[in-house]
Amino acid sequence: MITMILGGLAGLALSAALAALITRPRRITTRALRPVPTARFYTVPAGTRWLVCHTLDCGRMTTRHLPLPDGAGWRCVDCGHTTLGVAE
């Protein structure tokens, strides 16, 4: 009988300690936190496409290409390479 009472009290103490750990406010150290960097958003011109640029300057990665004035292709924003093709 006494073991059941002690077991119940130990269980209550354990659950109270666990609840206190979960619900107590977290303490922040005295060091200042770094400011969070914000994302930069740019407007993308109409007709822009993300195409693979086949130059070593761009590393053959997908970059932004703006349409050429005559509509015969696109020009890479980063290196200036021209990709030919008809706009759909």
Side-chain angles (χ1 to χ4, degrees):
M1 180 81 174
I2 190 77
T3 56
M4 290 176 54
I5 294 172
L6 290 177
L9 290 175
L12 285 175
L14 182 62
S15 63
L18 183 61
L21 283 174
I22 292 172
T23 58
R24 78 172 183 199
R26 309 243 176 206
R27 189 172 166 195
I28 298 176
T29 62
T30 57
R31 273 191 256 168
L33 298 176
R34 288 186 288 160
V36 177
T38 58
R40 295 182 184 175
F41 293 97
Y42 301 100
T43 57
V44 178
T48 301
R49 290 194 175 184
W50 293 86
L51 301 172
V52 176
C53 190
H54 296 288
T55 62
L56 294 177
D57 293 339
C58 290
R60 297 193 171 122
M61 300 296 288
T62 304
T63 57
R64 282 188 304 153
H65 285 68
L66 298 176
L68 293 174
D70 60 357
W74 293 270
R75 179 174 305 280
C76 178
V77 173
D78 295 332
C79 70
H81 178 257
T82 303
T83 302
L84 297 178
V86 179
E88 299 165 356

